[in-house]
Amino acid sequence: MKRLLPFVASLCATACTNTPIAPQTSAFDRPEDVAFFCWNLRTSSPTALADCRPRTPESIDDDRGEPPDGYALHALVTQTTTGEVAAARLTGAEGEPGIIDTDVRIPGFTFAAVGEVPSALAVSRIDPRHVFVLSRGSADVHVIETARFRSGLGAASTAFRLPGGRSLPSAMRLSPDERALLVAMFETGQVARLPVAADGTLGEADLLDLDPALPDPVDRRGLPAVESWRYTCQAPPLFEPPTIAPREPVALGLAPAPSAMVDDPETGHVLVADGSLPLVHVIDPVTLTTVRTINVSVPLQALALTPRVPATIGATERTERYLYAVDATDGSVLAIEWSDPARPDFGAVLSVEAQPPHDRLNVPFPARALAIVTPGYDEATPTAPCADAQNGLAASGVNLRGVFLAVGTVDGRVRMFDVFDADTACRGFGCGSGRDLNVEDQLVAIGRHRNRIGAYVAEGVVLEPDPSWETDGVGVEVVGTGGGTNAPDLVPALTPVTCPASLSPIYPLEGAPLICAVRDPWAAISQSFSVRFEGPIPFTTTTGGNFEDGGGVLLSATDYCAVGVIGGDDVPDEGYLAGYAGDVVAITGDLPPSVLRGDERRLARCNQLTQRTTAGEVTPVLIAIRSAQSRPEDLHEAYVGRLRLGAVVRPEGASLADVLECYPELLQFEVRTRDVFTVSAGRRGFQHPIVEGADHRCVVDPERAAAGRRGRAFFESVFETSEIRFALGPRPADISGRNPELRMTVARVPVGLSIDISTIGGSASPSLLTRMVYNPVDQRLYAVDQSVQGLLRIKLSRLGIQQTFR
Amino acid sequence: MADRLTPALLALSLCAACNLDQAGIDPRPATMNFPVAVRLYQPDPTIPASHLFVVNSNFDLRFNTGTLHAIDLQRVRDLVAGQCGGGGTDCMLDRLTYVEDPTEGAHPVLSDEVGIGSHASGLELRPGDHGRLYLPSRTSRDLTTIDFAPNVGFTCEQSYRAAVDEGTPRWEAGDVPRCARSRRVTRREGVANERGLELVGDPVAAAVVRSRDIGPVDVGDFLLVALREGRVALFLDDGSAAVPELLHVAEGFPQSLVSLTMEPGRAIGWLTSSTTNELARVGIVVDPGAPARSFVYDAGRLRLGGVDDGQDTRDMVFHPRRSDVAFILSRRPESVIEVDLVRRGLTPSDLGLRGLYEVGRGPSRLATAVLGDRTYVLASCFDAQRLFVFDVEVGALVSVIGGFSGPFELVIDAAEERAYLVDFSISVVRVLDLSPLATGGVPTLIATLGVPTPVVSLTGT
């Protein structure tokens, strides 16, 4: 016992000295919407939001967003899981900002209980005595006295049921005169207006049935070209977005389904996005009538309207406005002309990008939220000088002064797009007129509806490292500026090409170009190109192949036409791929166990067929493909693709019967090109012109080929797509049986300015951005992350996350 | 003296622990213990289900076996209507007993019960007649196969562990009959031996598909079993024996597999993993000439690109009315991700994203149902202790249902507009009425099956 005691004591000591780690708890539970009110600390009452406007900061560093003494800015945030509304104090001395416990008598944070799945908030900017909370699940509006949030004694609410049964209300706003609530009722296709009495009670709802009629979308073709607002310094050739026809309208239903609303402060109208029909409804909230409907070709799920901005870089008058929206079918973002209803292009979806899709902003992932931010944008003097430059600092891409579009995407980022940058005069070391220009700020491109480039750019888009050939383990051969390598027998040379208008010389940067690519900083994509001799066609590799029909047919789950396979019998007589011998099947898997453990003589024949080594490595058997089909009628629906096979290409002299003998069951194979190069890009993949033609056979579509969808490059021929152009020289003497690969990597593409809301303070956690609201009073952008971060307060004068509340 | 006594006491206590003849505690009949899976016996989906199967995992190893229950749902309906006023409140059916037990005050809803070993990890039914059940078991590291017929009950050559006096009612037997060992393993015939197959790993999920739905011949049912370590096994049940035959094992799938879902009408199964943002796919190749030589293969992976960060997915269901849409339950971020199976994302390797819908903490299982003319997706969130309901057409959350302790797997009877949800933490099954969704109301809890049994610590607090 005595000997045991020290041991036991040491165990206890170890246990007792371990400091328990307190878990970091979050008071918020799936926040969704946010609204603001200002609190008068002296009178302990809510006051007009404008009372919380900070004084104009003397510098960006001085911009803390603090209201004048005696006032505190607050936020209200809906909690969808618990059916509550939480309040948070956003400003104050250290220790004062934070979540507010609405009822201190109950342990833990207590918020105001409202309806089922509270999804929208509305608070008057002038008279914020009442908070209105829309609950989607219970289809009602709860009214809460704003002051109750800070009472510490609970905040009771009064519920007002919306008309109809299952309306699934999707959005709510106070009317511009703040005398009524407007509620979008998704399920019934109506907008309800509920009068707001002075005591906050809601009156009987009036209903407006949204108009389902579809006018024609606005077509900008034939209209005079409009010069776009753009500022550049030492930029490479930039490509103009082509004017295209409006898309064929698409609907997700038969009746209107309002999904979002935004005010038009100029007209007093309310713009209503339709989540089912491709319409924007403009309604008059006073008369509750439809003013007009605009056909934008797709249903929408979010809206953001800009203030007036100058039309061109030299203009001083504010004449233009734009309405941005999220396409409900795919989450892309579109820009709609919204300047003047009298103009013929009013309501047109604009072409904003040089690369397709031309009528969508360059947002790589589906958008979940939009907001227009206007930091430092004094509409009376839109061309005020750079703020940062006045303090001896250089203007830069992260200083936002003007009008910008913030797009929140599913990957947890907030991406910024330029609408009007008030600091352009100070940008570009060789171009700007301000003082203290940064020497790194060489290449500047700022354009309306384009990604804002945040970092300084000293050099444009290049190939980095230099293009090089990998030669099956023999070595790496760098392509010289003359196009040749040190292994002319193994790999072909590159020969000089002429760059078309859409591409720029990228290698070498001086002298006769060998490779042309996109160098427009907005259009270029960081990616690698692979050019591989007789390389596999992507997504054709499978271990699920089985011979049928005595070996003449291979069935699998691969959609061969979709991935770009073509047989020798189906190549065209002229045009792209004329004369091509067709792709081949390459059996890459080892011999099946039944052969390896079976008859020794058969094994010997199969070892010879596959040149199998003792280590189990095989030389792929190659079989010509006569034709490829996708979903032929006589194919069982469990399969997708069928290949009709021809002669065995390798090894010479072998037959299909020889192959069948060695592969009676398990078959791992892929499809490769034959005597040509397989070209694929990291982002866009293997671009090919193959489509499913008659009899479900995979054939060449000449239109796709003409549009640059080409995946096969030939010796002594120019290869061109919309992204790259090069020419291969003659066939090298010793290339047969080898698979050399040319790699070209487009690098130094300027990255669009964005904030990753999932990464705060050095730690990262998955985020789910759901809403963004710009507060013009403190000139901050507020983002709601449902997953972890809660409410984020984002400073815009030098873009960064200022605070989080969770 | 104390120095001599202490080692002796230690030795005595150690010796007591070495008694290898301890059989453990037999489960009390009609007792739920950490239910982990549920399925409906519903050969005709247009008619309300007659039985509910509940797999009790015996997660805490409190008893010496887990059990499988068949609950007579008509009796549940009668009790809810009679004793509890028709579903207006949570009807506590906590005194479960067998349907023929006349005990006063009991709730005779249990049609049959068998012992299946501990730590079963799922349950799948034979397509069509639902007459055969397959349970992947972590204890046996194999499949348990049990037959069922409403008027017969379970058939798995079951017997009591110890002799039970003849004439003893089964609710007084003090134990449950256990499935024979022969039913807890699968067959190894010529193909498995020839291919040198070994079923090594932790079975976590299973899926069953009729051969005629995926190939040109009708030879029975193919079963896929996902093993946590990144393997998938293929079985064939041609009805000629009491258990399926192992045909093939494919490797190379992601580690930490969680679920396996067959794509409707195709021979492709989708696999989720808790350690990667890739969804793996396993394909079945049917050899029409020699079905026993059929095999599985890696059908390629698709990535949840563009999501922050998609590295932990727990379940997947396909849209019941659209062949190009599926829903994936993600823990990073905690959401239901709607994906497009046709359109690709940013790169050809990425799934196309259609939408993200937030859920609560610890999302665990998904279910989908068509109620009326609406399509709903329901997501159970274990740590949030809630069930999230999404209207797919609207693309929004419409209801959050609380009142659970550890919601896990669920099944939906669309014919009756009811959901049956396993509440793992307190060993009960919840019955929810989904009909209020049609009028914008909130689904209600109308019954609880089993005695709520909270998890207690070793000190009894």
Side-chain angles (χ1 to χ4, degrees):
Chain A
M1 182 61 80
K2 286 182 186 172
R3 285 196 290 273
L4 278 176
L5 193 56
F7 174 64
V8 173
S10 68
L11 281 177
C12 289
T14 306
C16 293
T17 54
N18 281 342
T19 306
I21 299 170
Q24 210 175 11
T25 55
S26 168
F28 285 173
D29 199 343
R30 293 296 176 272
E32 184 160 327
D33 195 17
V34 60
F36 307 97
F37 67 91
C38 185
W39 186 261
N40 187 321
L41 294 167
R42 297 189 188 95
T43 62
S44 292
S45 61
T47 183
L49 193 60
D51 290 344
C52 276
R53 183 183 301 278
R55 60 173 176 76
T56 303
E58 295 177 2
S59 68
I60 289 179
D61 292 325
D62 189 38
D63 177 17
R64 294 188 190 86
E66 285 293 320
D69 287 341
Y71 296 92
L73 185 63
H74 287 64
L76 297 162
V77 186
T78 62
Q79 311 295 311
T80 55
T81 297
T82 54
E84 296 172 320
V85 175
R89 178 172 172 172
L90 302 177
T91 61
E94 189 173 339
E96 290 178 336
I99 310 294
I100 296 173
D101 187 355
T102 301
D103 195 334
V104 298
R105 299 169 297 182
I106 301 173
F109 279 104
T110 307
F111 303 138
V114 289
E116 182 87 1
V117 191
S119 52
L121 287 161
V123 183
S124 167
R125 291 174 179 237
I126 305 165
D127 180 12
R129 284 179 294 155
H130 299 96
V131 174
F132 304 94
V133 186
L134 175 70
S135 296
R136 179 170 57 234
S138 48
D140 52 24
V141 177
H142 281 70
V143 184
I144 307 171
E145 285 185 30
T146 308
R148 302 297 299 172
F149 284 101
R150 283 190 54 114
S151 69
L153 299 175
S157 63
T158 306
F160 295 86
R161 182 97 182 145
L162 291 170
R166 190 175 187 276
S167 59
L168 287 176
S170 53
M172 179 178 72
R173 301 194 73 80
L174 278 167
S175 59
D177 61 8
E178 298 196 344
R179 290 183 183 170
L181 271 180
L182 300 171
V183 178
M185 314 234 279
F186 187 92
E187 192 72 359
T188 60
Q190 298 168 312
V191 173
R193 183 182 63 185
L194 296 89
V196 179
D199 62 354
T201 55
L202 301 180
E204 202 68 26
D206 293 320
L207 296 174
L208 167 66
D209 293 318
L210 292 176
D211 186 357
L214 296 183
D216 291 331
V218 179
D219 191 343
R220 294 194 77 248
R221 294 176 299 171
L223 296 176
V226 175
E227 183 186 347
S228 60
W229 184 93
R230 177 188 296 171
Y231 175 82
T232 60
C233 178
Q234 301 189 59
L238 303 175
F239 307 118
E240 286 297 327
T243 303
I244 59 174
R247 295 188 184 197
E248 198 61 36
V250 166
L252 295 176
L254 299 175
S259 58
M261 294 191 291
V262 70
D263 297 333
D264 183 347
E266 271 189 24
T267 61
H269 296 155
V270 173
L271 313 184
V272 182
D274 197 314
S276 176
L277 301 178
L279 296 173
V280 174
H281 306 267
V282 182
I283 67 171
D284 183 333
V286 176
T287 60
L288 204 58
T289 53
T290 299
V291 176
R292 68 175 63 85
T293 53
I294 303 293
N295 187 333
V296 293
S297 297
V298 292
L300 305 173
Q301 65 188 31
L303 295 174
L305 181 65
T306 73
R308 295 228 175 245
V309 291
T312 60
I313 197 68
T316 54
E317 265 194 73
R318 304 161 288 123
T319 57
E320 311 302 298
R321 284 204 308 177
Y322 303 94
L323 178 67
Y324 295 95
V326 174
D327 183 342
T329 65
D330 62 5
S332 60
V333 180
L334 50 151
I336 305 165
E337 158 58 47
W338 208 262
S339 304
D340 183 354
R343 281 167 44 168
D345 61 350
F346 178 80
V349 176
L350 300 174
S351 264
V352 293
E353 278 292 326
Q355 300 287 328
H358 302 293
D359 59 351
R360 294 293 186 267
L361 273 66
N362 184 12
V363 182
F365 300 116
R368 285 176 61 86
L370 296 179
I372 292 294
V373 300
T374 57
Y377 183 57
D378 181 352
E379 292 197 84
T381 55
T383 56
C386 314
D388 233 359
Q390 295 173 356
N391 303 307
L393 299 173
S396 74
V398 300
N399 295 355
L400 300 182
R401 234 172 51 83
V403 180
F404 306 89
L405 171 69
V407 179
T409 48
V410 294
D411 65 336
R413 286 190 169 269
V414 176
R415 291 177 160 80
M416 307 304 298
F417 290 78
D418 286 303
V419 182
F420 174 75
D421 184 348
D423 284 351
T424 54
C426 305
R427 295 294 311 278
F429 189 73
C431 312
S433 58
R435 67 179 209 199
D436 298 314
L437 300 171
N438 192 304
V439 67
E440 294 287 315
D441 197 14
Q442 294 284 341
L443 193 160
V444 178
I446 303 173
R448 183 158 293 162
H449 315 307
R450 314 308 286 272
N451 300 77
R452 182 166 182 81
I453 298 172
Y456 292 130
V457 179
E459 190 182 17
V461 178
V462 296
L463 288 186
E464 192 173 78
D466 288 342
S468 59
W469 289 94
E470 283 186 26
T471 55
D472 287 329
V474 174
V476 175
E477 295 293 331
V478 177
V479 177
T481 55
T485 66
N486 292 328
D489 289 340
L490 297 180
V491 299
L494 296 183
T495 57
V497 291
T498 305
C499 294
S502 57
L503 301 175
S504 304
I506 196 169
Y507 187 80
L509 289 174
E510 292 176 3
L514 298 170
I515 303 169
C516 311
V518 177
R519 297 192 71 208
D520 178 330
W522 289 314
I525 298 172
S526 288
Q527 61 180 330
S528 287
F529 292 89
S530 164
V531 182
R532 189 168 180 189
F533 184 65
E534 296 187 331
I537 294 176
F539 301 107
T540 60
T541 304
T542 180
T543 51
N546 227 350
F547 284 113
E548 300 259 329
D549 277 2
V553 168
L554 257 185
L555 304 180
S556 80
T558 305
D559 185 341
Y560 288 114
C561 297
V563 300
V565 173
I566 189 166
D569 290 353
D570 295 321
V571 296
D573 297 326
E574 55 185 12
Y576 181 64
L577 291 185
Y580 177 52
D583 298 326
V584 296
V585 162
I587 303 176
T588 54
D590 195 1
L591 297 170
S594 58
V595 171
L596 291 173
R597 298 183 193 138
D599 180 71
E600 286 188 11
R601 283 178 294 183
R602 179 177 64 173
L603 179 59
R605 288 194 295 273
C606 294
N607 281 340
Q608 191 175 15
L609 179 77
T610 59
Q611 298 176 42
R612 188 172 187 273
T613 68
T614 52
E617 294 168 347
V618 298
T619 299
V621 173
L622 302 180
I623 309 172
I625 297 173
R626 286 174 38 215
S627 75
Q629 288 178 296
S630 288
R631 298 185 180 85
E633 264 96 24
D634 59 338
L635 188 67
H636 191 280
E637 61 185 17
Y639 297 108
V640 179
R642 176 163 63 198
L643 300 174
R644 294 198 182 279
L645 304 178
V648 176
V649 175
R650 183 178 71 194
E652 228 174 289
S655 69
L656 272 179
D658 299 330
V659 178
L660 268 178
E661 182 190 31
C662 299
Y663 289 97
E665 44 165 316
L666 299 168
L667 191 68
Q668 176 180 314
F669 75 94
E670 63 190 19
V671 176
R672 300 180 179 180
T673 56
R674 183 176 176 184
D675 207 39
V676 299
F677 292 80
T678 309
V679 183
S680 65
R683 180 76 74 84
R684 299 201 198 275
F686 178 66
Q687 296 281 292
H688 62 83
I690 309 301
V691 295
E692 192 177 317
D695 295 333
H696 302 276
R697 291 166 81 116
C698 305
V699 296
V700 174
D701 179 350
E703 283 185 19
R704 286 164 67 110
R709 296 178 66 94
R710 301 180 176 206
R712 295 169 179 80
F714 295 78
F715 291 112
E716 297 186 83
S717 194
V718 174
F719 176 86
E720 180 178 350
T721 67
S722 59
E723 298 179 299
I724 200 163
R725 178 180 166 105
F726 58 89
L728 295 170
R731 182 193 184 89
D734 201 16
I735 198 172
S736 290
R738 300 182 191 277
N739 304 105
E741 180 184 10
L742 173 67
R743 293 200 71 85
M744 300 171 284
T745 301
V746 175
R748 300 204 189 176
V749 175
V751 178
L753 179 63
S754 69
I755 286 186
D756 181 358
I757 66 168
S758 66
T759 305
I760 294 181
S763 68
S765 49
S767 60
L768 192 57
L769 190 64
T770 188
R771 196 69 56 90
M772 291 192 300
V773 176
Y774 177 65
N775 187 346
V777 167
D778 67 349
Q779 300 196 8
R780 298 297 190 265
L781 175 66
Y782 290 83
V784 180
D785 170 26
Q786 293 193 314
S787 184
V788 177
Q789 307 297 354
L791 179 68
L792 297 98
R793 191 178 188 217
I794 300 172
K795 177 179 169 180
L796 298 168
S797 51
R798 194 174 294 135
L799 191 65
I801 296 173
Q802 185 173 355
Q803 284 162 293
T804 62
F805 301 87
R806 52 195 290 269
Chain B
M1 175 75 173
D3 285 345
R4 285 198 291 271
L5 187 58
T6 303
L9 285 172
L10 270 173
L12 192 62
S13 62
L14 287 171
C15 285
C18 288
N19 183 354
L20 298 178
D21 287 335
Q22 286 286 345
I25 302 172
D26 295 329
R28 289 191 301 277
T31 300
M32 288 195 186
N33 189 35
F34 290 106
V36 74
V38 281
R39 283 291 183 272
L40 291 168
Y41 179 79
Q42 195 177 26
D44 183 351
T46 63
I47 299 171
S50 64
H51 289 80
L52 175 73
F53 299 124
V54 181
V55 175
N56 294 290
S57 66
N58 192 34
F59 180 78
D60 60 350
L61 297 178
R62 177 157 49 121
F63 303 120
N64 55 23
T65 185
T67 56
L68 172 67
H69 289 166
I71 293 175
D72 187 326
L73 291 179
Q74 186 55 52
R75 288 178 174 265
V76 172
R77 292 181 197 106
D78 293 341
L79 284 167
V80 170
Q83 291 186 11
C84 300
T89 57
D90 184 5
C91 194
M92 292 301 297
L93 303 179
D94 53 357
R95 295 192 59 196
L96 298 183
T97 186
Y98 295 98
V99 295
E100 68 269 33
D101 180 359
T103 302
E104 186 74 23
H107 304 119
V109 300
L110 195 60
S111 175
D112 203 358
E113 178 179 22
V114 286
I116 56 173
S118 299
H119 292 168
S121 50
L123 171 62
E124 291 300 326
L125 308 184
R126 178 167 63 199
D129 69 357
H130 290 181
R132 179 164 277 191
L133 291 72
Y134 306 96
L135 298 87
S137 169
R138 297 174 61 191
T139 303
S140 63
R141 301 220 154 190
D142 208 326
L143 272 180
T144 297
T145 308
I146 301 171
D147 294 310
F148 177 81
N151 54 346
V152 173
F154 293 123
T155 302
C156 57
E157 288 79 73
Q158 62 267 44
S159 62
Y160 287 97
R161 186 181 61 81
V164 173
D165 292 338
E166 195 171 331
T168 303
R170 54 178 174 163
W171 55 90
E172 294 177 4
D175 191 8
V176 301
R178 297 136 193 268
C179 289
R181 272 194 192 283
S182 60
R183 286 291 194 129
R184 295 211 220 160
V185 293
T186 49
R187 284 182 293 140
R188 307 285 186 273
E189 305 278 342
V191 166
N193 295 329
E194 182 185 309
R195 290 175 174 171
L197 299 178
E198 288 182 26
L199 200 59
V200 175
D202 203 9
V204 292
V208 190
V209 63
R210 288 186 286 207
S211 60
R212 66 171 186 263
D213 290 338
I214 62 167
V217 293
D218 184 0
V219 295
D221 301 316
F222 285 102
L223 292 87
L224 289 175
V225 173
L227 303 163
R228 189 189 311 278
E229 297 79 4
R231 302 186 191 89
V232 178
L234 175 70
F235 300 84
L236 173 64
D237 190 350
D238 58 8
S240 65
V243 295
E245 178 187 355
L246 176 65
L247 298 186
H248 190 226
V249 178
E251 300 185 345
F253 298 100
Q255 294 287 310
S256 304
L257 293 177
V258 179
S259 74
L260 166 63
T261 309
M262 293 302 298
E263 188 173 342
R266 296 191 69 197
I268 301 287
W270 291 66
L271 299 151
T272 62
S273 162
S274 62
T275 57
T276 175
N277 66 352
E278 291 181 316
L279 279 101
R281 294 176 297 172
V282 56
I284 304 173
V285 175
V286 180
D287 189 329
R293 305 204 75 82
S294 303
F295 58 93
V296 284
Y297 65 98
D298 185 343
R301 303 182 188 190
L302 289 171
R303 203 172 62 110
L304 274 177
V307 174
D308 183 17
D309 54 18
Q311 296 280 347
D312 183 349
T313 52
R314 297 300 175 111
D315 203 359
M316 181 175 183
V317 295
F318 290 87
H319 196 298
R321 297 199 282 195
R322 292 183 62 165
S323 60
D324 59 340
V325 176
F327 303 93
I328 298 167
L329 189 62
S330 162
R331 284 208 172 186
R332 290 179 63 90
E334 288 162 329
S335 59
V336 174
I337 304 175
E338 185 179 359
V339 296
D340 192 317
L341 300 177
V342 175
R343 176 175 58 87
R344 288 292 176 255
L346 190 62
T347 73
S349 306
D350 290 341
L351 277 164
L353 299 178
R354 292 172 55 93
L356 260 76
Y357 311 112
E358 66 292 350
V359 294
R361 287 172 291 117
S364 299
R365 285 292 184 267
L366 279 179
T368 180
V370 178
L371 304 176
D373 62 347
R374 317 288 301 197
T375 304
Y376 296 94
V377 169
L378 287 75
S380 67
C381 293
F382 190 87
D383 296 316
Q385 301 176 322
R386 288 178 167 84
L387 186 65
F388 287 71
V389 184
F390 298 92
D391 183 321
V392 170
E393 269 83 15
V394 173
L397 178 71
V398 295
S399 193
V400 180
I401 310 161
F404 311 116
S405 294
F408 193 59
E409 188 161 288
L410 71 157
V411 287
I412 298 173
D413 186 343
E416 199 176 12
E417 296 188 323
R418 284 193 178 174
Y420 299 88
L421 170 71
V422 155
D423 202 336
F424 179 85
S425 299
I426 56 171
S427 296
V428 298
V429 172
R430 307 285 196 178
V431 183
L432 293 100
D433 180 9
L434 302 180
S435 61
L437 288 173
T439 54
V442 180
T444 54
L445 191 59
I446 59 173
T448 296
L449 302 171
V451 178
T453 310
V455 175
V456 296
S457 72
L458 291 176
T459 61
T461 58

